[in-house]
Amino acid sequence: MSAPSLLRPSRTFDQLLPPGAVYAPRTTLEHVGWVLSDAYRLDTLTGLTLLVTGSVPVSCHRSTVTPEILAFFESCGATPSPHRVPYQTAEQAFEQTRRWAEQGHRIVSPYPLPAELCEPQSLLVPDALYRWLNDKSNLDELVDADWLAPSLMLTPEAAPDLLTAFAGQPVYVKACVAGASGAGIDVRYAPDVHARHQALDWLVGREHCFSGVRVELALDIPVCWCLNLSIQSDCVEYLGAAIQLFSSPGQQSGSLIDPSQEPPASAVDEAMRIARKAQRLGYRGLAGFDLGLTADARPYVFDLNFRMVSSTVQLLLHQSAVERIGGAVTESWHHLIAGPLAPALAAIEPFGRTGRFVPCRLWESTAESLGRSMVTGFLVAESTACLIETREAMASALGSLLL
């Protein structure tokens, strides 16, 4: 197969964010809640959007834009932002954010930033609003009751009551955080009494970290999507949806985009209604809302993320990626790699060169990452069956390099 044409995002950040915005994703572990536990991952996150930021300046760690990485992107028909501003240390990243704020730019970040980096008016989204909107304690104020699964809200001190809520039925125990959350890290599935006690043990001693405990009846949900939206001052735009893949109940492991499985129009309408409510409150930027269908096709909203989510970049690149090889579906692909990137990139280069794999984030190993590299992107194929074949072929090509 000949080399595919260049990837072209359906939308870029300069179309989804207001004029004067800059993307400064580097923050601290303290400000990402329970989302991350390894400090080096804060730096890997800065490389996630390089293919979709357009003319919006973006701060990124040097290990996401090495010469080898840039050459690999090029071989895959992908063009990283020419407006990238690389940094080596966290302080360099923070200093860049300060300079942008002093120059009058609006600072955009997927997670809260340390307060000392810039004046509150420099943030596109006020910190208090970001934290309120992303707190599961406030779902009832943003989502109509008919769209929410039966649940009980508990204060942190009343967490032991989760042992008796919806007695005899499986539940999800959700720690509500005033700030960042994601991928089910703050969720525990409790199908029986033993699992409820385990969930309580997980919460005990962390009362200062969360605003409440949401105990939600575990409904049978065969399919769940993340609906992506852009919320601007003069419009709300629906960007599309990705099917959420789970390694276990409540624990997301990836995203699948399949045009034969789209959320119902009523779900899109509800997502737009929620987004307009956030718009009236002052929110601007990207959002991803988790919504599922029961076996009898009743829709429910489970979580609201007022930030870029894991499927955003895949969604923005999906149409171009499938069109250039005559495909139809894409599936996220993410792995840690043993040692430096070079051997891994050599192994998967044929998949990238022929358009069957699109890299989104590449991370060259550092001492902080314990010598491990990282490859994040998505597979492209004609069908879900073909995705399996490509996934297995990628794993075979990488062999022992996969961790």
Side-chain angles (χ1 to χ4, degrees), residues 130-139 176-179 211-212 304:
Y130 174 97
R131 294 179 181 279
W132 189 88
L133 288 171
N134 284 289
D135 190 338
K136 292 183 179 67
S137 294
N138 302 317
L139 273 176
C176 302
V177 181
S211 56
L304 303 176

Side-chain angles (χ1 to χ4, degrees), residues 268-354:
V268 176
D269 290 343
E270 175 62 10
M272 293 288 284
R273 189 201 65 78
I274 296 168
R276 291 190 187 100
K277 189 166 187 176
Q279 181 191 46
R280 291 192 294 272
L281 293 171
Y283 182 78
R284 303 289 183 268
L286 297 164
F289 301 160
D290 298 344
L291 182 148
L293 286 184
T294 60
D296 60 357
R298 178 168 178 181
Y300 288 95
V301 173
F302 296 105
D303 194 15
L304 303 176
N305 297 290
F306 288 90
R307 56 175 175 81
M308 190 194 82
V309 293
S310 60
S311 60
T312 303
V313 175
Q314 183 182 348
L315 269 167
L316 295 176
L317 294 170
H318 169 83
Q319 195 59 39
S320 177
V322 296
E323 285 179 353
R324 65 184 190 154
I325 70 163
V329 296
T330 61
E331 181 181 277
S332 60
W333 194 95
H334 169 80
H335 278 283
L336 286 173
I337 303 295
L341 263 180
L345 297 185
I348 62 176
E349 194 271 342
F351 300 92
R353 177 169 37 81
T354 55

Side-chain angles (χ1 to χ4, degrees), residues 38-295:
D38 297 317
Y40 83 93
R41 289 183 180 266
L42 295 168
D43 293 317
T44 71
L45 284 174
T46 66
L48 271 172
T49 63
L50 287 169
L51 302 186
V52 298
T53 48
S55 63
V56 171
V58 55
S59 173
C60 60
H61 193 276
R62 291 189 183 279
S63 288
T64 66
V65 287
T66 65
E68 293 78 13
I69 286 174
L70 296 177
F72 185 77
F73 274 129
E74 182 179 357
S75 72
C76 298
T79 307
S81 167
H83 304 283
R84 58 187 182 268
V85 181
Y87 70 87
Q88 186 63 41
T89 67
E91 186 46 50
Q92 289 173 353
F94 296 153
E95 182 56 34
Q96 179 61 61
T97 301
R98 293 188 191 98
R99 284 198 297 269
W100 277 333
E102 291 168 357
Q103 292 165 5
H105 290 285
R106 304 300 299 279
I107 309 299
V108 179
S109 175
Y111 300 111
L113 296 173
E116 63 271 17
L117 287 191
C118 55
E119 295 297 323
Q121 63 268 22
S122 295
L123 297 173
L124 180 62
V125 179
D127 187 72
L129 178 61
Y130 174 97
R131 294 179 181 279
W132 189 88
L133 288 171
N134 284 289
D135 190 338
K136 292 183 179 67
S137 294
N138 302 317
L139 273 176
D140 301 272
E141 298 191 47
L142 291 163
V143 184
D144 286 344
D146 289 346
W147 287 81
L148 291 172
S151 64
L152 178 67
M153 274 301 306
L154 305 173
T155 64
E157 296 74 23
D161 289 348
L162 68 85
L163 298 175
T164 55
F166 302 105
Q169 301 182 76
V171 296
Y172 286 106
V173 178
K174 300 182 176 182
C176 302
V177 181
S181 63
I185 293 173
D186 53 349
V187 176
R188 293 295 183 274
Y189 176 57
D192 51 38
V193 173
H194 176 67
R196 288 182 185 236
H197 279 281
Q198 288 182 318
L200 181 60
D201 291 343
W202 164 64
L203 291 169
V204 169
R206 300 190 180 192
E207 292 85 353
H208 65 287
C209 297
F210 54 91
S211 56
V213 179
R214 191 176 188 91
V215 185
E216 190 173 274
L217 190 63
L219 303 175
D220 181 17
I221 303 290
V223 60
C224 192
W225 293 270
C226 182
L227 283 68
N228 279 241
L229 303 102
S230 168
I231 304 172
Q232 303 184 52
S233 59
D234 57 348
C235 69
V236 173
E237 182 180 358
Y238 173 60
L239 302 174
I243 296 170
Q244 295 182 310
L245 306 175
F246 295 91
S247 57
S248 60
Q251 305 300 303
Q252 187 181 356
S253 59
S255 300
L256 168 71
I257 302 177
D258 183 349
S260 70
Q261 299 185 69
E262 292 288 341
S266 61
V268 176
D269 290 343
E270 175 62 10
M272 293 288 284
R273 189 201 65 78
I274 296 168
R276 291 190 187 100
K277 189 166 187 176
Q279 181 191 46
R280 291 192 294 272
L281 293 171
Y283 182 78
R284 303 289 183 268
L286 297 164
F289 301 160
D290 298 344
L291 182 148
L293 286 184
T294 60

Side-chain angles (χ1 to χ4, degrees), residues 38-41 43 61 88 363 365-372:
D38 297 317
Y40 83 93
R41 289 183 180 266
D43 293 317
H61 193 276
Q88 186 63 41
W363 169 262
S365 60
T366 62
E368 290 74 21
S369 65
L370 302 179
R372 298 171 296 180

